[in-house]
Amino acid sequence: MSKKDNTLYYFHDNQILLTRKYLKNKIICDKTKYEHYIQERLQILDLIKCTIDMGESNSILLIGPRGCGKTALINSVLKEVLDIKNFEENIIVVKLHGLVHTDDRLALKDVIRQMQLENVFSDIDFGTFAENLSFLIESLKSGNRKCSKPIIFILDEFDLFCVHHNQTLLYNLFDVAQSDRAPICVIGITCRLDVIELLEKRVKSRFSHRQIFLYPGNISSLKSSAFENRLELFQDLLSLPLDENISKISQTNKIDNMGSKFQTQWNKQIDNLRNNINIVNLLKQMHCSDRSEKKFRNFLAIVVSILVTVQQVFHVDDFIYASKIFSRNEKVLILQGLSILEMCLVIAMKHETEIYNNGLMNFEKIWSRYLKFGSRNSSIESVQRPVVIKAFEHIKALELIVSVGLNQRNEKEYQSYKFTLTSQQVMEAVKNYNGLPTDVTQWADSSIL
């Protein structure tokens, strides 16, 4: 942006701070109508309505890569359900998150709070986790389908609940759902494709085995995927309303009025950025590689975070810098959502790249390196070749490897690929991967096999 456009520097610092707060809230708290995954959304909506209307207990897992819209889908269904007359007063929604409720004791405490049973438990004062859980579960089981208030349990990052001791909470929730006494619906949200294998046998036997898989390619709205709509969203999310008081929206009284002059000039710079050829090319490149609206919003949130009192306008370099940070973080998150088999293949690719100094690889090389590792570690279950090929194809679909051409034999197993990740990204994902076997972790960090 040229110097003549930097008139925003002369405004009060609080105006910039309030603008940053307003834009973050606007970007993160999406109020628009949800219009993706139509068929999958109807399935979940019907399942919840059966629990509410007919007292049927259900359990289901919603599985898909990070950022594909799983939580947004569930929230849109709940919003529609709660907007129905009499439904809001007649159901209880309990939301748990694996990153927050790191053990069953914390989860149970929050369940009691969200069900507004604090007074009941303080009067009884059992004192132990087992007794409190037993009382809660027996209370649920003692209900009946006609009189009990339906309860919807939402378990985000479901795979993290699988590492809790004995999976006690999951066992009891699925057991109640299977008993069909109290009308409850348990919805798990996870990015782990192998999540069923994480369940203990007794827990797995009580799960309904209903699963819905979400992929970005399943998004039904063609309109939202058009690049012109992405540019409009860019301008809309970063612009300020001319007819609203930003300080009131931000729930602060530091400034009574932001001033229409400031908001007009702010919107002018956003309009200039939208028409900047470098910004357009950057957004087009991001849009071609990933059309997820959530990831785009996360990218803009990083850009807005750069805004401070000493830099009161956006520059093109800010967007380029944020895109590099965002790209690196996104790939690490994708790795954390892979199955253990897929992580083993990624580690094999890391070693292959380190040995041959970022050289090319093919499936046969990775398969050979994986077999070599598996033969030395009894904890790694033998996996048949077709299953490994399927895992390899999934890694390719996520663009963690990219094709660099076919050889003359034209066989998939010998097609050449280049690894798109750094060793640091792989090791960061290994470090933060929950439930990864010790042998695999040590292999990733060991001398090259």
Side-chain angles (χ1 to χ4, degrees):
M1 183 175 291
S2 62
K3 290 183 180 180
K4 66 180 181 179
D5 292 326
N6 286 343
T7 53
L8 291 170
Y9 280 110
Y10 300 105
F11 287 88
H12 198 284
D13 289 347
N14 279 343
Q15 292 175 321
I16 298 301
L17 295 177
L18 290 176
T19 298
R20 184 175 67 179
K21 182 176 181 180
Y22 171 78
L23 291 178
K24 278 187 175 181
N25 182 69
K26 184 179 181 181
I27 291 168
I28 296 173
C29 302
D30 183 18
K31 300 295 192 301
T32 59
K33 182 180 179 181
Y34 192 86
E35 51 185 15
H36 307 315
Y37 302 113
I38 296 175
Q39 296 301 323
E40 294 86 351
R41 188 178 183 279
L42 287 175
Q43 283 182 260
I44 297 175
L45 182 60
D46 289 342
L47 203 68
I48 292 178
K49 284 186 175 180
C50 284
T51 301
I52 298 173
D53 290 334
M54 294 177 281
E56 294 182 3
S57 292
N58 297 293
S59 57
I60 190 170
L61 285 176
L62 189 61
I63 304 171
R66 293 187 185 277
C68 70
K70 301 182 296 296
T71 304
L73 187 153
I74 295 297
N75 288 338
S76 74
V77 171
L78 290 177
K79 183 179 183 302
E80 181 173 338
V81 169
L82 295 176
D83 285 343
I84 298 175
K85 187 177 181 180
N86 298 327
F87 270 21
E88 183 174 7
E89 298 178 356
N90 294 327
I91 66 170
I92 299 174
V93 178
V94 176
K95 293 185 177 182
L96 301 176
H97 199 291
L99 292 174
V100 177
H101 306 98
T102 53
D103 60 54
D104 284 348
R105 186 180 297 275
L106 288 174
L108 178 62
K109 185 176 181 180
D110 210 12
V111 170
I112 293 171
R113 179 188 63 81
Q114 294 184 53
M115 293 180 65
Q116 299 180 357
L117 297 174
E118 296 99 324
N119 293 334
V120 176
F121 279 82
S122 64
D123 292 340
I124 299 176
D125 193 20
F126 288 132
T128 69
F129 167 76
E131 290 172 330
N132 285 329
L133 178 61
S134 177
F135 177 78
L136 177 63
I137 298 303
E138 287 303 318
S139 298
L140 292 174
K141 287 184 177 181
S142 64
N144 61 71
R145 295 169 61 178
K146 294 183 179 181
C147 300
S148 298
K149 182 177 286 191
I151 306 174
I152 312 299
F153 286 91
I154 309 295
L155 277 62
D156 211 340
E157 299 290 348
F158 179 86
D159 52 287
L160 298 183
F161 289 93
C162 297
V163 301
H164 292 186
H165 181 64
N166 292 332
Q167 298 183 358
T168 306
L169 182 69
L170 295 182
Y171 171 80
N172 283 284
L173 288 179
F174 286 152
D175 188 53
V176 173
Q178 190 183 54
S179 68
D180 205 26
R181 296 294 301 276
I184 75 169
C185 182
V186 183
I187 302 175
I189 305 173
T190 180
C191 62
R192 290 284 296 270
L193 297 175
D194 60 343
V195 65
I196 296 295
E197 302 306 315
L198 302 179
L199 297 175
E200 293 184 0
K201 186 176 180 180
R202 64 183 189 131
V203 180
K204 191 184 299 184
S205 66
R206 284 161 173 77
F207 173 52
S208 69
H209 289 271
R210 290 188 182 93
Q211 300 174 69
I212 294 179
F213 293 89
L214 299 185
Y215 298 100
N218 292 2
I219 293 179
S220 306
S221 175
L222 295 176
K223 180 181 177 180
S224 63
S225 66
F227 180 65
E228 187 60 33
N229 291 84
R230 179 56 54 88
L231 286 177
E232 290 180 6
L233 183 63
F234 170 85
Q235 185 166 9
D236 177 65
L237 292 177
L238 294 181
S239 298
L240 298 178
L242 298 177
D243 56 347
E244 294 184 53
N245 187 324
I246 305 300
S247 61
K248 290 182 179 179
I249 295 174
S250 301
Q251 296 180 345
T252 177
N253 295 320
K254 291 181 179 179
I255 299 177
D256 293 332
N257 197 310
M258 290 287 291
S260 59
K261 182 180 179 182
F262 170 83
Q263 291 165 234
T264 300
Q265 291 179 336
W266 177 270
N267 290 345
K268 181 180 177 181
Q269 68 141 335
I270 299 301
D271 185 60
N272 290 337
L273 286 170
R274 173 184 170 164
N275 296 312
N276 184 289
I277 186 63
N278 294 319
I279 294 293
V280 171
N281 289 337
L282 175 64
L283 296 180
K284 187 174 293 184
Q285 182 181 0
M286 294 178 64
H287 186 257
C288 290
S289 62
D290 194 326
R291 299 187 176 188
S292 167
E293 184 177 315
K294 179 181 178 181
K295 291 183 181 179
F296 179 65
R297 287 173 178 268
N298 290 343
F299 160 70
L300 291 183
I302 294 175
V303 177
V304 171
S305 299
I306 297 173
L307 197 66
V308 290
T309 55
V310 295
Q311 180 184 319
Q312 302 186 346
V313 293
F314 292 128
H315 300 284
V316 173
D317 289 343
D318 296 333
F319 291 88
I320 296 174
Y321 172 73
S323 69
K324 292 179 179 178
I325 296 177
F326 181 74
S327 176
R328 180 179 181 277
N329 292 340
E330 279 297 305
K331 287 186 176 180
V332 172
L333 289 175
I334 288 173
L335 289 177
Q336 291 173 222
L338 297 180
S339 67
I340 293 176
L341 170 60
E342 290 164 344
M343 275 300 296
C344 287
L345 296 183
V346 168
I347 293 170
M349 293 171 185
K350 166 184 172 290
H351 287 317
E352 186 74 19
T353 303
E354 290 172 342
I355 291 175
Y356 296 103
N357 192 24
N358 294 320
L360 302 182
M361 66 183 72
N362 57 41
F363 172 78
E364 289 296 333
K365 291 181 179 179
I366 302 306
W367 167 246
S368 176
R369 193 165 294 281
Y370 170 73
L371 287 180
K372 189 176 180 181
F373 167 67
S375 65
R376 296 183 181 184
N377 297 272
S378 58
S379 65
I380 302 300
E381 297 181 5
S382 59
V383 181
Q384 295 182 349
R385 182 184 173 94
V387 179
V388 179
I389 291 177
K390 192 73 174 177
F392 189 87
E393 290 291 330
H394 183 231
I395 292 173
K396 183 176 73 171
L398 293 173
E399 297 183 348
L400 301 180
I401 54 175
V402 292
S403 174
V404 292
L406 298 169
N407 79 354
Q408 295 178 351
R409 299 176 64 174
N410 201 29
E411 296 178 9
K412 289 196 303 182
E413 290 83 352
Y414 293 95
Q415 184 175 345
S416 297
Y417 296 93
K418 189 172 183 64
F419 198 41
T420 64
L421 301 170
T422 65
S423 296
Q424 292 75 16
Q425 287 175 319
V426 175
M427 291 309 302
E428 185 177 345
V430 168
K431 179 181 178 182
N432 296 310
Y433 191 105
N434 290 285
L436 194 66
T438 304
D439 290 343
V440 179
T441 302
Q442 292 174 346
W443 180 37
D445 198 29
S446 67
S447 300
I448 301 168
L449 292 176

